[in-house]
Amino acid sequence: MSREERYDVSRRVAVAGALTNTILAIVKLLFGWLGHSQSLLADGVHSLSDLLTDALVLFTARHAKEAPDEEHPYGHGRFETIGTLVLGGFLIAVGVGIVWDAADRLFTPEQLLQPETFTLYVAAFSILANEGLFFYTRYFANQINSNLLRANAWHHRTDSVSSVVVFVGIGGTMMGLPYLDAIAAVLVGLMIIKIGWDLGWTASQELADAGLEEESLTQIREVIGNISGVKSVHMLRTRKLGGHAMADVHVQVDPWVSVSEGHRIAEVVQYGLIDRVDVLEDVTVHIDPEDDEAGPSCTHLPLRSEAEAALDRVCRGVSCYDQKARVVLHYLSGRIDIELYLPLHCFVSNQQAEQLHSDYQAAVKGSEIFRDVHIWFG
């Protein structure tokens, strides 16, 4: 799904949530005040926080859909992460305020209120409305794989649960237990703090470049392992970016394949992962001729110009070396293996070719740079 399509879905869901939460906030605050229910008033504040969430979804979705630019070469997906973090902090502050006020009333019994009967129906209406919002938002969150929408959906679910608590608190108070309404308000506040903490923690982990879950990593390894030409996978790293993720991975191939074949394998790995692992938006593939985590390093070895100069020094006197047509260097296990292409007329017989190979092997023996020489004629 394109960024523009993701934005359209997020905007539609956010508008629907905003309209519903506006109605719920007005109804709960009004009837909570008229009906003398502290828990319903707290639930109304909770709905106001949902309204802020919907506004935040609209704002971050609009910015997250923008294409990469010079200042943001990896795109704007982290706007969604920052928005989630801000939302989490706001919810914690709201929850603390509600708990503080309700706890204060619990310790001053003369301030406890007696809810009216109609507040019970308002709480029931809130339960049904928030459950509907939960299923609606979660459906589209899964469709576009948006963590922010998914978090917003569960925020609606906590609203539903908090309304259940309010329903029980009001009902208990009406049955002669005056403390239940204030206790329900404390529980609602604690639930708001919990969801705020969860949202903030998840967003902070994403900003700290936390990787994908093990299930996704296993899927990535399975996809790469089934691609022809891949021998093994190592140094797999991932990081989340809004509703998507990025990965870079080292893929080991046969050390004797050509550069172009290795590049083609890397392309298949890259686009195969993006196509089959929904969360991945960008993949960087590093092709290795061997497992560079386990084998000796080649970082001390010279590049071609110096390597050819060193090869000239040790092989200058060997037959046909001055007629060589091509030299291919293979950097493997801390040394350089050489493929030496000689003209066809340098081949006289199998016995002579074997002797020529021995002469080249003897020339590079003892070198700290070279290991083996493979000779080709023609």
PDB file of all heavy atoms in Angstrom, residues 139-161:
ATOM      1  N   TYR A 139      -9.413  -3.140  12.540  1.00  0.00           N
ATOM      2  CA  TYR A 139      -9.496  -3.710  11.190  1.00  0.00           C
ATOM      3  C   TYR A 139      -8.600  -2.942  10.214  1.00  0.00           C
ATOM      4  O   TYR A 139      -7.808  -3.537   9.470  1.00  0.00           O
ATOM      5  CB  TYR A 139     -10.950  -3.691  10.708  1.00  0.00           C
ATOM      6  CG  TYR A 139     -11.104  -4.057   9.251  1.00  0.00           C
ATOM      7  CD1 TYR A 139     -11.046  -5.384   8.833  1.00  0.00           C
ATOM      8  CD2 TYR A 139     -11.278  -3.064   8.277  1.00  0.00           C
ATOM      9  CE1 TYR A 139     -11.161  -5.713   7.492  1.00  0.00           C
ATOM     10  CE2 TYR A 139     -11.404  -3.379   6.946  1.00  0.00           C
ATOM     11  CZ  TYR A 139     -11.341  -4.709   6.551  1.00  0.00           C
ATOM     12  OH  TYR A 139     -11.440  -5.029   5.226  1.00  0.00           O
ATOM     13  N   PHE A 140      -8.711  -1.628  10.226  1.00  0.00           N
ATOM     14  CA  PHE A 140      -7.911  -0.827   9.292  1.00  0.00           C
ATOM     15  C   PHE A 140      -6.448  -0.735   9.727  1.00  0.00           C
ATOM     16  O   PHE A 140      -5.558  -0.591   8.882  1.00  0.00           O
ATOM     17  CB  PHE A 140      -8.527   0.564   9.136  1.00  0.00           C
ATOM     18  CG  PHE A 140      -9.773   0.582   8.313  1.00  0.00           C
ATOM     19  CD1 PHE A 140     -11.015   0.730   8.915  1.00  0.00           C
ATOM     20  CD2 PHE A 140      -9.719   0.424   6.947  1.00  0.00           C
ATOM     21  CE1 PHE A 140     -12.174   0.735   8.155  1.00  0.00           C
ATOM     22  CE2 PHE A 140     -10.870   0.418   6.168  1.00  0.00           C
ATOM     23  CZ  PHE A 140     -12.111   0.572   6.780  1.00  0.00           C
ATOM     24  N   ALA A 141      -6.179  -0.830  11.029  1.00  0.00           N
ATOM     25  CA  ALA A 141      -4.791  -0.843  11.498  1.00  0.00           C
ATOM     26  C   ALA A 141      -4.064  -2.065  10.951  1.00  0.00           C
ATOM     27  O   ALA A 141      -2.914  -1.978  10.504  1.00  0.00           O
ATOM     28  CB  ALA A 141      -4.754  -0.839  13.020  1.00  0.00           C
ATOM     29  N   ASN A 142      -4.723  -3.222  10.978  1.00  0.00           N
ATOM     30  CA  ASN A 142      -4.119  -4.445  10.441  1.00  0.00           C
ATOM     31  C   ASN A 142      -4.013  -4.382   8.924  1.00  0.00           C
ATOM     32  O   ASN A 142      -3.075  -4.922   8.331  1.00  0.00           O
ATOM     33  CB  ASN A 142      -4.941  -5.660  10.858  1.00  0.00           C
ATOM     34  CG  ASN A 142      -4.865  -5.924  12.351  1.00  0.00           C
ATOM     35  OD1 ASN A 142      -3.881  -5.573  13.000  1.00  0.00           O
ATOM     36  ND2 ASN A 142      -5.895  -6.540  12.908  1.00  0.00           N
ATOM     37  N   GLN A 143      -4.969  -3.712   8.291  1.00  0.00           N
ATOM     38  CA  GLN A 143      -4.958  -3.618   6.833  1.00  0.00           C
ATOM     39  C   GLN A 143      -3.757  -2.832   6.325  1.00  0.00           C
ATOM     40  O   GLN A 143      -3.145  -3.206   5.315  1.00  0.00           O
ATOM     41  CB  GLN A 143      -6.255  -2.974   6.344  1.00  0.00           C
ATOM     42  CG  GLN A 143      -6.409  -3.001   4.823  1.00  0.00           C
ATOM     43  CD  GLN A 143      -7.708  -2.361   4.387  1.00  0.00           C
ATOM     44  OE1 GLN A 143      -7.918  -1.165   4.581  1.00  0.00           O
ATOM     45  NE2 GLN A 143      -8.598  -3.139   3.796  1.00  0.00           N
ATOM     46  N   ILE A 144      -3.389  -1.736   7.020  1.00  0.00           N
ATOM     47  CA  ILE A 144      -2.258  -0.912   6.569  1.00  0.00           C
ATOM     48  C   ILE A 144      -1.033  -1.090   7.456  1.00  0.00           C
ATOM     49  O   ILE A 144      -0.027  -0.412   7.263  1.00  0.00           O
ATOM     50  CB  ILE A 144      -2.646   0.575   6.516  1.00  0.00           C
ATOM     51  CG1 ILE A 144      -2.897   1.144   7.914  1.00  0.00           C
ATOM     52  CG2 ILE A 144      -3.851   0.786   5.622  1.00  0.00           C
ATOM     53  CD1 ILE A 144      -3.116   2.645   7.926  1.00  0.00           C
ATOM     54  N   ASN A 145      -1.118  -1.993   8.441  1.00  0.00           N
ATOM     55  CA  ASN A 145      -0.011  -2.285   9.357  1.00  0.00           C
ATOM     56  C   ASN A 145       0.516  -1.007  10.014  1.00  0.00           C
ATOM     57  O   ASN A 145       1.688  -0.672   9.943  1.00  0.00           O
ATOM     58  CB  ASN A 145       1.139  -2.981   8.608  1.00  0.00           C
ATOM     59  CG  ASN A 145       2.166  -3.543   9.571  1.00  0.00           C
ATOM     60  OD1 ASN A 145       1.827  -3.949  10.684  1.00  0.00           O
ATOM     61  ND2 ASN A 145       3.424  -3.555   9.160  1.00  0.00           N
ATOM     62  N   SER A 146      -0.384  -0.290  10.675  1.00  0.00           N
ATOM     63  CA  SER A 146      -0.027   0.958  11.346  1.00  0.00           C
ATOM     64  C   SER A 146      -0.007   0.748  12.851  1.00  0.00           C
ATOM     65  O   SER A 146      -1.046   0.451  13.456  1.00  0.00           O
ATOM     66  CB  SER A 146      -1.027   2.062  10.985  1.00  0.00           C
ATOM     67  OG  SER A 146      -0.837   3.198  11.820  1.00  0.00           O
ATOM     68  N   ASN A 147       1.169   0.920  13.465  1.00  0.00           N
ATOM     69  CA  ASN A 147       1.267   0.792  14.913  1.00  0.00           C
ATOM     70  C   ASN A 147       0.475   1.887  15.624  1.00  0.00           C
ATOM     71  O   ASN A 147      -0.091   1.660  16.697  1.00  0.00           O
ATOM     72  CB  ASN A 147       2.732   0.856  15.355  1.00  0.00           C
ATOM     73  CG  ASN A 147       3.463  -0.433  15.043  1.00  0.00           C
ATOM     74  OD1 ASN A 147       2.852  -1.493  14.977  1.00  0.00           O
ATOM     75  ND2 ASN A 147       4.765  -0.351  14.837  1.00  0.00           N
ATOM     76  N   LEU A 148       0.452   3.085  15.047  1.00  0.00           N
ATOM     77  CA  LEU A 148      -0.276   4.173  15.674  1.00  0.00           C
ATOM     78  C   LEU A 148      -1.780   3.889  15.674  1.00  0.00           C
ATOM     79  O   LEU A 148      -2.461   4.072  16.688  1.00  0.00           O
ATOM     80  CB  LEU A 148       0.016   5.491  14.961  1.00  0.00           C
ATOM     81  CG  LEU A 148      -0.611   6.746  15.592  1.00  0.00           C
ATOM     82  CD1 LEU A 148      -0.124   6.927  17.026  1.00  0.00           C
ATOM     83  CD2 LEU A 148      -0.288   7.975  14.767  1.00  0.00           C
ATOM     84  N   LEU A 149      -2.315   3.433  14.540  1.00  0.00           N
ATOM     85  CA  LEU A 149      -3.731   3.075  14.498  1.00  0.00           C
ATOM     86  C   LEU A 149      -4.030   1.892  15.414  1.00  0.00           C
ATOM     87  O   LEU A 149      -5.072   1.845  16.076  1.00  0.00           O
ATOM     88  CB  LEU A 149      -4.147   2.720  13.065  1.00  0.00           C
ATOM     89  CG  LEU A 149      -4.520   3.860  12.122  1.00  0.00           C
ATOM     90  CD1 LEU A 149      -5.081   3.314  10.826  1.00  0.00           C
ATOM     91  CD2 LEU A 149      -5.520   4.804  12.780  1.00  0.00           C
ATOM     92  N   ARG A 150      -3.104   0.939  15.451  1.00  0.00           N
ATOM     93  CA  ARG A 150      -3.305  -0.222  16.325  1.00  0.00           C
ATOM     94  C   ARG A 150      -3.336   0.215  17.786  1.00  0.00           C
ATOM     95  O   ARG A 150      -4.158  -0.258  18.578  1.00  0.00           O
ATOM     96  CB  ARG A 150      -2.186  -1.232  16.072  1.00  0.00           C
ATOM     97  CG  ARG A 150      -2.483  -2.634  16.581  1.00  0.00           C
ATOM     98  CD  ARG A 150      -1.421  -3.620  16.111  1.00  0.00           C
ATOM     99  NE  ARG A 150      -1.545  -3.893  14.688  1.00  0.00           N
ATOM    100  CZ  ARG A 150      -0.608  -3.675  13.793  1.00  0.00           C
ATOM    101  NH1 ARG A 150       0.547  -3.137  14.172  1.00  0.00           N
ATOM    102  NH2 ARG A 150      -0.788  -3.975  12.525  1.00  0.00           N
ATOM    103  N   ALA A 151      -2.442   1.124  18.140  1.00  0.00           N
ATOM    104  CA  ALA A 151      -2.435   1.644  19.511  1.00  0.00           C
ATOM    105  C   ALA A 151      -3.722   2.414  19.795  1.00  0.00           C
ATOM    106  O   ALA A 151      -4.291   2.326  20.889  1.00  0.00           O
ATOM    107  CB  ALA A 151      -1.222   2.553  19.720  1.00  0.00           C
ATOM    108  N   ASN A 152      -4.182   3.160  18.798  1.00  0.00           N
ATOM    109  CA  ASN A 152      -5.420   3.910  18.972  1.00  0.00           C
ATOM    110  C   ASN A 152      -6.610   2.968  19.144  1.00  0.00           C
ATOM    111  O   ASN A 152      -7.537   3.243  19.913  1.00  0.00           O
ATOM    112  CB  ASN A 152      -5.638   4.822  17.768  1.00  0.00           C
ATOM    113  CG  ASN A 152      -6.530   6.000  18.094  1.00  0.00           C
ATOM    114  OD1 ASN A 152      -6.725   6.343  19.257  1.00  0.00           O
ATOM    115  ND2 ASN A 152      -7.087   6.624  17.070  1.00  0.00           N
ATOM    116  N   ALA A 153      -6.588   1.833  18.427  1.00  0.00           N
ATOM    117  CA  ALA A 153      -7.666   0.852  18.577  1.00  0.00           C
ATOM    118  C   ALA A 153      -7.710   0.318  20.004  1.00  0.00           C
ATOM    119  O   ALA A 153      -8.776   0.235  20.625  1.00  0.00           O
ATOM    120  CB  ALA A 153      -7.456  -0.293  17.590  1.00  0.00           C
ATOM    121  N   TRP A 154      -6.541  -0.035  20.531  1.00  0.00           N
ATOM    122  CA  TRP A 154      -6.514  -0.551  21.900  1.00  0.00           C
ATOM    123  C   TRP A 154      -6.840   0.547  22.905  1.00  0.00           C
ATOM    124  O   TRP A 154      -7.335   0.271  24.011  1.00  0.00           O
ATOM    125  CB  TRP A 154      -5.163  -1.195  22.188  1.00  0.00           C
ATOM    126  CG  TRP A 154      -5.072  -2.549  21.587  1.00  0.00           C
ATOM    127  CD1 TRP A 154      -4.403  -2.915  20.454  1.00  0.00           C
ATOM    128  CD2 TRP A 154      -5.729  -3.735  22.051  1.00  0.00           C
ATOM    129  NE1 TRP A 154      -4.588  -4.240  20.184  1.00  0.00           N
ATOM    130  CE2 TRP A 154      -5.394  -4.770  21.158  1.00  0.00           C
ATOM    131  CE3 TRP A 154      -6.564  -4.013  23.137  1.00  0.00           C
ATOM    132  CZ2 TRP A 154      -5.875  -6.070  21.313  1.00  0.00           C
ATOM    133  CZ3 TRP A 154      -7.031  -5.312  23.295  1.00  0.00           C
ATOM    134  CH2 TRP A 154      -6.688  -6.309  22.391  1.00  0.00           C
ATOM    135  N   HIS A 155      -6.584   1.778  22.527  1.00  0.00           N
ATOM    136  CA  HIS A 155      -7.004   2.885  23.377  1.00  0.00           C
ATOM    137  C   HIS A 155      -8.534   2.910  23.464  1.00  0.00           C
ATOM    138  O   HIS A 155      -9.110   3.120  24.543  1.00  0.00           O
ATOM    139  CB  HIS A 155      -6.468   4.195  22.805  1.00  0.00           C
ATOM    140  CG  HIS A 155      -6.585   5.344  23.744  1.00  0.00           C
ATOM    141  ND1 HIS A 155      -6.252   6.627  23.393  1.00  0.00           N
ATOM    142  CD2 HIS A 155      -7.013   5.431  25.022  1.00  0.00           C
ATOM    143  CE1 HIS A 155      -6.457   7.437  24.411  1.00  0.00           C
ATOM    144  NE2 HIS A 155      -6.925   6.733  25.423  1.00  0.00           N
ATOM    145  N   HIS A 156      -9.211   2.672  22.332  1.00  0.00           N
ATOM    146  CA  HIS A 156     -10.671   2.578  22.348  1.00  0.00           C
ATOM    147  C   HIS A 156     -11.132   1.398  23.218  1.00  0.00           C
ATOM    148  O   HIS A 156     -12.143   1.504  23.913  1.00  0.00           O
ATOM    149  CB  HIS A 156     -11.203   2.413  20.928  1.00  0.00           C
ATOM    150  CG  HIS A 156     -10.972   3.598  20.048  1.00  0.00           C
ATOM    151  ND1 HIS A 156     -11.181   4.890  20.469  1.00  0.00           N
ATOM    152  CD2 HIS A 156     -10.547   3.688  18.755  1.00  0.00           C
ATOM    153  CE1 HIS A 156     -10.907   5.730  19.474  1.00  0.00           C
ATOM    154  NE2 HIS A 156     -10.515   5.026  18.431  1.00  0.00           N
ATOM    155  N   ARG A 157     -10.380   0.299  23.167  1.00  0.00           N
ATOM    156  CA  ARG A 157     -10.750  -0.857  23.987  1.00  0.00           C
ATOM    157  C   ARG A 157     -10.619  -0.527  25.477  1.00  0.00           C
ATOM    158  O   ARG A 157     -11.447  -0.933  26.298  1.00  0.00           O
ATOM    159  CB  ARG A 157      -9.873  -2.060  23.591  1.00  0.00           C
ATOM    160  CG  ARG A 157      -9.928  -3.273  24.540  1.00  0.00           C
ATOM    161  CD  ARG A 157     -11.310  -3.816  24.795  1.00  0.00           C
ATOM    162  NE  ARG A 157     -12.009  -4.323  23.624  1.00  0.00           N
ATOM    163  CZ  ARG A 157     -11.857  -5.564  23.142  1.00  0.00           C
ATOM    164  NH1 ARG A 157     -11.016  -6.407  23.699  1.00  0.00           N
ATOM    165  NH2 ARG A 157     -12.574  -5.954  22.090  1.00  0.00           N
ATOM    166  N   THR A 158      -9.557   0.209  25.841  1.00  0.00           N
ATOM    167  CA  THR A 158      -9.429   0.596  27.255  1.00  0.00           C
ATOM    168  C   THR A 158     -10.549   1.544  27.655  1.00  0.00           C
ATOM    169  O   THR A 158     -11.003   1.528  28.805  1.00  0.00           O
ATOM    170  CB  THR A 158      -8.073   1.276  27.539  1.00  0.00           C
ATOM    171  OG1 THR A 158      -7.971   2.477  26.776  1.00  0.00           O
ATOM    172  CG2 THR A 158      -6.912   0.361  27.213  1.00  0.00           C
ATOM    173  N   ASP A 159     -11.018   2.370  26.708  1.00  0.00           N
ATOM    174  CA  ASP A 159     -12.185   3.213  26.992  1.00  0.00           C
ATOM    175  C   ASP A 159     -13.399   2.357  27.300  1.00  0.00           C
ATOM    176  O   ASP A 159     -14.192   2.669  28.204  1.00  0.00           O
ATOM    177  CB  ASP A 159     -12.497   4.108  25.791  1.00  0.00           C
ATOM    178  CG  ASP A 159     -11.460   5.197  25.610  1.00  0.00           C
ATOM    179  OD1 ASP A 159     -10.683   5.415  26.548  1.00  0.00           O
ATOM    180  OD2 ASP A 159     -11.435   5.808  24.543  1.00  0.00           O
ATOM    181  N   SER A 160     -13.544   1.279  26.515  1.00  0.00           N
ATOM    182  CA  SER A 160     -14.674   0.383  26.747  1.00  0.00           C
ATOM    183  C   SER A 160     -14.582  -0.270  28.114  1.00  0.00           C
ATOM    184  O   SER A 160     -15.562  -0.326  28.864  1.00  0.00           O
ATOM    185  CB  SER A 160     -14.690  -0.692  25.649  1.00  0.00           C
ATOM    186  OG  SER A 160     -15.730  -1.619  25.885  1.00  0.00           O
ATOM    187  N   VAL A 161     -13.377  -0.745  28.456  1.00  0.00           N
ATOM    188  CA  VAL A 161     -13.189  -1.386  29.759  1.00  0.00           C
ATOM    189  C   VAL A 161     -13.394  -0.374  30.885  1.00  0.00           C
ATOM    190  O   VAL A 161     -14.010  -0.683  31.913  1.00  0.00           O
ATOM    191  CB  VAL A 161     -11.783  -2.017  29.847  1.00  0.00           C
ATOM    192  CG1 VAL A 161     -11.527  -2.564  31.244  1.00  0.00           C
ATOM    193  CG2 VAL A 161     -11.635  -3.128  28.817  1.00  0.00           C
TER     194      VAL A 161
END
